[in-house]
Amino acid sequence: MELAQEQQPRALLVDGMALLFRGFFANSYGGYIRKTNAGLPTNAVYGFVKYLLDACKVFQPTHIVCCWDMGSTTFRTGQYAGYKANRPEAPNELLPQFDLVKEVVESFGIPNVGVAGFEADDCLGTLAKMYREHAEVFILTGDHDMLQLVDDRTTVVIMKKGHGNYAVYTPQFLLEERQLSPAQIVDLKGLMGDTSDNYPGVRGIGEKTALKLVLEYGSIDGILANLDSLSKSVRTKIEADLEMLHMSRDLATIRCDAPVELEWERCLWVMDRTSVANKFEELEFGSLMKLIG
């Protein structure tokens, strides 16, 4: 896959778990799980490949990296034992596909990145910060928490329902759609918590009240500086949960200083078709061959 010499550098940072889980559930409807003749489940990897190649076609990257979680124990679980404690176990058919998908990514010549003790989000945030000096950065994910990473050089692409359907968030679009700045995404989560990640924020304050407060006072710091201006009910709730408010804001903050080292040149997107075709043949992905030319 040769690149036009005049193309401006563009990095695609892929949230591997988001694509893999989406691929699994999109390709297991009706209870049918795609498997090789030897019985190896491949439905999630199959979906992952389709999503990845579609994004490459749409966003035309010159460089690609794929980031992964490295287990459930991170510095956030050290801060708050309940963090993500409500997550169900991965389906049995998905388990062998965690390693398999990384083999497929390697066959494309794309680096796999993950750091023990950190989440894929932190790796994505760190790489976005590193690479924004070299290129326009696009982060491909399904996770709206990533919107805090949007800036003038970093675009967050949220995968929506339906193949090839994306919401493309620049600072301008984020402001138009949600009336929020990227930093305010974190403040909103600090106040209202996150049921998916299992931290509570301020008990009794939901999304509607949290949004109203953030829009009115700009940030959690702005709210705390104006506690006397709040209704007695809201003020009482915040004062009763100050420690959890600060912790929830910290849990919601994506770290952009994770110990990730990956040279820019290693991410160059030049696909070795033979390598990919061999992997597709091994996994019996004949129907995907047309996608690699």
Side-chain angles (χ1 to χ4, degrees), residues 30-287:
Y32 170 74
I33 301 288
R34 183 187 187 95
K35 296 179 181 178
T36 63
N37 288 328
L40 178 66
T42 57
N43 65 317
V45 178
Y46 182 89
F48 175 97
V49 169
K50 290 183 71 176
Y51 294 136
L52 176 66
L53 292 176
D54 185 79
C56 289
K57 183 178 176 184
V58 172
F59 298 103
Q60 294 288 302
T62 59
H63 296 70
I64 309 183
V65 184
C66 194
C67 294
W68 302 95
D69 292 332
M70 300 295 286
S72 58
T73 302
T74 67
F75 72 90
R76 290 185 180 85
T77 56
Q79 283 180 286
Y80 180 58
Y83 183 74
K84 291 191 176 179
N86 59 338
R87 294 283 177 97
E89 293 290 322
N92 287 335
E93 294 90 347
L94 182 54
L95 296 178
Q97 299 189 66
F98 288 131
D99 289 333
L100 188 61
V101 72
K102 292 177 185 176
E103 293 177 18
V104 172
V105 170
E106 282 178 14
S107 78
F108 276 103
I110 298 171
N112 286 303
V113 170
V115 178
F118 290 83
E119 295 182 51
D121 293 11
D122 304 308
C123 296
L124 291 161
T126 301
L127 290 172
K129 185 178 178 182
M130 285 167 53
Y131 293 160
R132 68 190 301 283
E133 298 174 15
H134 301 283
E136 189 179 7
V137 175
F138 285 72
I139 298 174
L140 180 66
T141 183
D143 184 355
H144 287 78
D145 292 354
M146 299 291 230
L147 296 178
Q148 64 186 269
L149 299 175
V150 168
D151 64 28
D152 62 330
R153 296 282 284 170
T154 305
T155 299
V156 172
V157 178
I158 299 288
M159 302 173 69
K160 299 179 73 177
K161 193 171 183 178
H163 191 69
N165 192 11
Y166 306 103
V168 180
Y169 284 91
T170 59
Q172 295 76 15
F173 183 59
L174 180 60
L175 194 61
E176 286 170 19
E177 191 192 70
R178 302 199 179 192
Q179 292 77 56
L180 295 171
S181 70
Q184 288 174 324
I185 297 290
V186 179
D187 289 308
L188 191 66
K189 297 290 289 294
L191 281 162
M192 61 182 274
D194 187 318
T195 53
S196 173
D197 288 342
N198 200 46
Y199 56 87
V202 176
R203 283 168 293 188
I205 290 188
E207 183 173 9
K208 188 176 177 183
T209 302
L211 183 59
K212 180 175 180 289
L213 290 169
V214 169
L215 291 177
E216 188 165 350
Y217 297 103
S219 66
I220 285 174
D221 293 338
I223 295 164
L224 295 179
N226 290 278
L227 281 176
D228 291 343
S229 304
L230 306 181
S231 70
K232 184 181 178 183
S233 169
V234 170
R235 185 173 73 246
T236 300
K237 288 171 183 172
I238 289 175
E239 288 175 337
D241 250 348
L242 265 179
E243 189 177 341
M244 184 51 76
L245 171 61
H246 290 301
M247 181 182 286
S248 293
R249 176 169 60 175
D250 198 44
L251 291 170
T253 302
I254 293 173
R255 299 294 188 268
C256 294
D257 58 355
V260 178
E261 292 184 18
L262 184 64
E263 293 175 2
W264 172 242
E265 292 75 18
R266 281 196 54 213
C267 310
L268 186 66
W269 172 229
V270 184
M271 183 176 64
D272 180 344
R273 189 189 180 282
T274 302
S275 170
V276 177
N278 288 341
K279 199 68 187 175
F280 281 8
E281 188 174 350
E282 177 191 327
L283 298 178
E284 299 163 24
F285 285 176
S287 61

